[in-house]
Amino acid sequence: MTPPQEPQTPREPTQRPRQKDRPWLMRTYAGHSTAEASNALYRRNLAKGQTGLSVAFDLPTQTGYDPDHILARGEVGRVGVPVSHLGDMRRLFQDIPLEHMNTSMTINATAMWLLALYQVVAEEQGADIAQLQGTTQNDIVKEYLSRGTHVFPPGPSLRLTTDMIAYTVSHIPKWNPINICSYHLQEAGATPVQEIAYAMSTAIAVLDAVRDAGQVPEEKFGDVVARISFFVNAGVRFIEEMCKMRAFGRIWDQITRERYGIENAKQRRFRYGVQVNSLGLTEAQPENNVQRIVLEMLAVTLSKDARARAVQLPAWNEALGLPRPWDQQWSLRIQQVLAHESDLLEYEDIFAGSHVVEKKVDELVAESLAEIDRIQEMGGAMAAVESGYLKSQLVASHAERRARIEAGEEKIVGVNIYETTEPNPLTADLDTAIMTVDHAVEAKVVRAIGEWRTTREESSDRQGLGDPFHYPTTRQAIERLKEAAAGTENLMEATLECVRAGVTTGEWAGALREVFGEFRAPTGVSSAPVAVTAEEGSPLALVREKVRRSGEELGGKLRLLVGKPGLDGHSNGAEQIAVRARDAGFEVVYQGIRLTPEQIVSAALAEDVHCVGLSILSGSHAELVPDVLARLREAGAADLPVIVGGIIPSADAAQLKAAGVAAVFTPKDFGITEIIGRIVDEIRQANQLDPLEVPA
């Protein structure tokens, strides 16, 4: 007999636990000194759990010069790794299997060249290039506006970008051939609306150019859209930055669907990587930068629907100089703690349904679309660059931001509020709190490229290819490149031939310079509106009076030359000094970026200026500033005061002053009006005028 059954309690339906999201790619922007040193750094970072590479190239590589070019002096290996030819690229990625790596290369004007080098090294490793994954930044518009490593005019630059996109879609389909970069726009002062609008206008210009070039079949245009990626900035205003990313995604979806007819939602996804804001990192109380970095990272990771695909964080001491490997490790660990210790990746979007977020996103979308329409009415992003509109808008926005900081309206802890501080153990020995590049590195790299040319020459001679002094194989590849550039064919194949022939970075760019010419972007200074009013009794009014009276005593209007020697294209600081000096009553001579010391001294003498101001953020001040001083002495103008601004360690600042520099300003000197007043004081002292007190 069967015993009676117990009544069955209904079971809850079995729910499978939600699968945890994959973490974003974790990168550290890195590279310095030499290919060998950078390779060792990459392998150490990968061993520490970094999941992708982000290559920083030095300024000669970025601007298409070999390390022995006059403009490269003092810049070799400073802000990134020098890559002058195929041999350097081999050493940079030695023992790193490129077929299994995701590599981001921050390179723009010479992006095609660096991608070709990367492809050939991968082929030599035995990789299937169709499997290569990574990104070339390749956004030339923001170089014209903010970063300053442009080379060619807008038309040819857009052609290089178009050719790269067409080539990668066919041959390296997993590669992102462009990373439209609004990061540096924010660094140059862009508001969230400007950041969105200018980046989207760039994307429209690029996609229109690819579509109209006819190199990609219409049925594959969705693949082009799917490989467009973005690189954005995340500032410390958490809510605004997170909403900005949601607005970016919404506008991109609308543009790609309505303007280009992309029906596949996956191809319309807004794919972006991020580096959080370096502009807001402070030299004063730099330990505060750690919490700034964390807060900025949360803005691009907390919201699943607007989460970055890749994140790289600056280091706490970037406002002081080049971070050390330990500093980079700290930034990597910040990401790893959030991704692996918190429960962030276990939930759906935690901001979905927030009326606060939706309202802010709606506002950003509407204002950004209006600005995009305004730019399209001008003829698009390239026309707005050439007219100077975009640059002048950024200079004005940055000037307004600086004015708010100086007035205390925009508060920065440790800078304009809560300035009292305990001694900082992190910077107790400031000279060891950052990494320095040995001055001998440049000479070593210069020797190495000479050896490369000699070896290349001997190899050609042994093959019986003719007069070794003319590098026949190399010359043929360069001539082939020029012919292609003068015509309409895709330039990638001719560039690959140059790589395999041993052509150098400077030779490749030099050949294209011959065909395309060079471009000096508008500075935006003359058209920038007044950001700080000179109302009676205001700090600027007092400085204006000092400028006026000093000019009268010296027999005319005070004249200031603002110079950017070398290849450093970070012109934001120089532009802000130039604008404020103009508003204070100076006649300002500012010719933009990328000048030799000889050109700066010649301009100073020709314009009969009362002071020379040099702005250098790349670390080349130790070589370039003494050169300017020496040339002024040789010209009989040793009494002309020279001031210097930039990221300059205290020991270097002391050496510059000992060499004859009148004053050194660093990021902690945020009061621009005060700096202009100091410049007037230095002019008076150099001309043996009595100190001038202007009553308030």
Side-chain angles (χ1 to χ4, degrees):
M1 183 173 174
T2 304
Q5 300 291 314
E6 293 290 330
Q8 297 293 312
T9 304
R11 289 186 176 182
E12 294 290 331
T14 302
Q15 291 187 347
R16 298 177 64 183
R18 185 180 176 278
Q19 187 174 3
K20 191 173 181 178
D21 291 339
R22 283 191 307 169
W24 51 90
L25 272 173
M26 299 183 190
R27 292 182 169 131
T28 303
Y29 182 55
H32 64 81
S33 302
T34 64
E36 294 87 346
S38 298
N39 172 263
L41 177 62
Y42 296 161
R43 287 189 285 112
R44 284 202 306 272
N45 286 345
L46 290 169
K48 291 173 183 175
Q50 186 173 296
T51 53
L53 292 177
S54 180
V55 181
F57 296 100
D58 73 352
L59 289 173
T61 305
Q62 291 184 50
T63 52
Y65 292 108
D66 286 334
D68 52 358
H69 191 278
I70 181 63
L71 275 171
R73 189 159 63 93
E75 308 282 13
V76 177
R78 289 283 175 192
V79 300
V81 57
V83 176
S84 305
H85 47 71
L86 181 58
D88 285 341
M89 200 63 138
R90 288 175 184 142
R91 288 187 289 273
L92 184 63
F93 292 109
Q94 186 173 343
D95 299 323
I96 298 175
L98 297 186
E99 190 169 341
H100 305 291
M101 188 53 54
N102 192 303
T103 304
S104 170
M105 294 192 285
T106 302
I107 195 75
N108 295 284
T110 55
M112 178 180 285
W113 175 247
L114 271 298
L115 178 60
L117 288 167
Y118 189 87
Q119 175 182 323
V120 172
V121 169
E123 289 170 343
E124 291 178 347
Q125 291 183 356
D128 176 2
I129 66 166
Q131 301 305 312
L132 295 181
Q133 296 185 68
T135 302
T136 33
Q137 192 168 96
N138 200 22
D139 174 4
I140 204 64
V141 171
K142 62 93 177 174
E143 296 301 323
Y144 298 135
L145 298 179
S146 55
R147 181 60 186 83
T149 66
H150 53 275
V151 176
F152 312 112
S157 294
L158 191 57
R159 176 186 170 186
L160 286 168
T161 300
T162 299
D163 285 357
M164 269 187 69
I165 291 172
Y167 178 83
T168 54
V169 165
S170 297
H171 297 87
I172 319 178
K174 295 184 177 182
W175 192 266
N176 301 323
I178 186 170
N179 202 215
I180 294 169
C181 181
S182 68
Y183 174 86
H184 294 96
L185 301 181
Q186 187 179 120
E187 297 277 290
T191 65
V193 167
Q194 289 172 328
E195 191 178 340
I196 295 168
Y198 297 177
M200 288 296 166
S201 296
T202 298
I204 290 170
V206 168
L207 287 175
D208 282 0
V210 173
R211 179 194 60 196
D212 297 344
Q215 295 189 55
V216 178
E218 185 177 344
E219 64 273 14
K220 293 197 70 176
F221 196 73
D223 294 336
V224 172
V225 172
R227 300 320 302 179
I228 302 292
S229 62
F230 292 79
F231 186 67
V232 304
N233 203 328
V236 78
R237 290 173 57 81
F238 171 82
I239 302 299
E240 188 171 65
E241 292 296 314
M242 190 268 293
C243 291
K244 179 185 76 180
M245 300 320 308
R246 298 171 90 90
F248 252 128
R250 190 182 298 180
I251 292 173
W252 182 241
D253 184 81
Q254 179 178 331
I255 288 172
T256 53
R257 186 180 64 253
E258 295 180 1
R259 188 180 183 94
Y260 301 108
I262 305 302
E263 297 296 333
N264 186 332
K266 188 175 180 181
Q267 292 177 329
R268 297 198 310 267
R269 274 188 64 189
F270 180 71
R271 302 160 64 253
Y272 82 98
V274 65
Q275 168 152 328
V276 307
N277 198 345
S278 294
L279 175 67
L281 302 185
T282 63
E283 180 183 6
Q285 298 181 26
E287 66 276 10
N288 297 335
N289 294 332
V290 176
Q291 51 263 37
R292 291 185 180 110
I293 290 167
V294 171
L295 184 59
E296 291 165 351
M297 176 182 64
L298 291 175
V300 294
T301 54
L302 276 186
S303 171
K304 181 184 178 183
D305 291 347
R307 184 172 295 150
R309 296 274 295 263
V311 176
Q312 57 191 45
L313 303 183
W316 69 277
N317 56 349
E318 283 202 10
L320 306 176
L322 188 65
R324 301 157 299 186
W326 182 86
D327 307 312
Q328 293 186 333
Q329 175 182 297
W330 191 356
S331 290
L332 176 62
R333 295 292 186 249
I334 289 172
Q335 294 199 60
Q336 291 170 330
V337 168
L338 180 66
H340 300 298
E341 294 188 24
S342 83
D343 59 353
L344 169 68
L345 298 176
E346 297 173 13
Y347 294 93
E348 297 296 335
D349 195 284
I350 61 176
F351 296 100
S354 166
H355 66 276
V356 173
V357 169
E358 285 304 312
K359 181 180 178 183
K360 183 63 179 175
V361 173
D362 287 344
E363 291 172 358
L364 290 171
V365 167
E367 293 176 33
S368 299
L369 287 174
E371 181 65 8
I372 292 169
D373 288 343
R374 190 174 297 115
I375 293 167
Q376 291 305 114
E377 289 170 3
M378 295 177 187
M382 292 302 184
V385 165
E386 294 183 280
S387 72
Y389 170 77
L390 296 183
K391 183 63 174 179
S392 65
Q393 293 295 106
L394 289 178
V395 171
S397 294
H398 201 184
E400 291 167 5
R401 176 182 179 271
R402 292 299 299 250
R404 291 194 301 271
I405 294 172
E406 291 178 60
E409 297 169 11
E410 188 167 319
K411 294 175 172 54
I412 302 177
V413 173
V415 174
N416 60 5
I417 57 169
Y418 309 125
E419 298 167 59
T420 57
T421 184
E422 297 295 325
N424 186 342
L426 290 173
T427 57
D429 183 359
L430 194 56
D431 294 329
T432 63
I434 57 172
M435 181 176 175
T436 57
V437 176
D438 189 340
H439 292 292
V441 163
E442 184 163 319
K444 177 183 176 182
V445 175
V446 169
R447 285 195 304 272
I449 195 168
E451 292 168 2
W452 172 266
R453 293 191 188 110
T454 300
T455 303
R456 174 185 73 180
E457 173 183 315
E458 291 172 349
S459 175
S460 296
D461 191 39
R462 282 197 301 271
Q463 295 172 39
L465 294 172
D467 182 357
F469 293 103
H470 289 93
Y471 316 143
T473 303
T474 306
R475 187 190 67 222
Q476 290 167 3
I478 290 173
E479 290 303 317
R480 167 86 177 85
L481 176 67
K482 289 180 185 177
E483 289 173 9
T488 59
E489 68 179 279
N490 190 301
L491 290 171
M492 194 67 190
E493 290 294 348
T495 295
L496 286 164
E497 288 181 27
C498 286
V499 169
R500 296 179 178 118
V503 169
T504 67
T505 298
E507 290 168 341
W508 178 85
L512 294 183
R513 279 183 170 97
E514 287 185 35
V515 179
F516 295 151
E518 288 196 73
F519 184 70
R520 293 196 68 79
T523 67
V525 169
S526 60
S527 55
V530 174
V532 179
T533 58
E535 298 171 359
E536 186 174 351
S538 67
L540 184 57
L542 300 179
V543 172
R544 280 181 67 93
E545 181 61 15
K546 286 177 69 172
V547 171
R548 185 189 67 78
R549 288 174 58 179
S550 299
E552 287 180 352
E553 292 180 56
L554 292 172
K557 197 171 184 178
L558 290 190
R559 292 179 296 282
L560 170 68
L561 183 144
V562 177
K564 290 284 298 178
L567 297 177
D568 171 33
H570 282 109
S571 58
N572 304 332
E575 290 155 2
Q576 294 307 308
I577 291 291
V579 168
R580 192 69 57 85
R582 177 204 67 185
D583 295 345
F586 272 90
E587 180 180 322
V588 177
V589 179
Y590 177 56
Q591 299 172 328
I593 61 171
R594 218 175 296 168
L595 301 170
T596 64
E598 182 181 16
Q599 289 172 320
I600 288 172
V601 170
S602 295
L605 298 175
E607 299 289 346
D608 193 24
V609 299
H610 296 95
C611 181
V612 173
L614 303 177
S615 171
I616 305 175
L617 285 84
S618 63
S620 60
H621 50 267
E623 287 78 17
L624 299 181
V625 174
D627 192 357
V628 171
L629 293 171
R631 290 177 184 277
L632 286 172
R633 284 194 297 270
E634 291 169 6
D639 56 346
L640 184 64
V642 174
I643 63 168
V644 180
I647 299 177
I648 300 172
S650 56
D652 287 5
Q655 291 175 4
L656 292 177
K657 289 178 180 177
V661 168
V664 175
F665 299 100
T666 65
K668 70 177 182 298
D669 302 299
F670 70 93
I672 301 181
T673 298
E674 182 182 343
I675 291 173
I676 302 302
R678 288 275 307 279
I679 292 173
V680 179
D681 293 339
E682 295 297 341
I683 291 172
R684 294 187 65 85
Q685 182 175 333
N687 288 276
Q688 300 180 339
L689 300 179
D690 293 333
L692 181 61
E693 294 296 332
V694 177

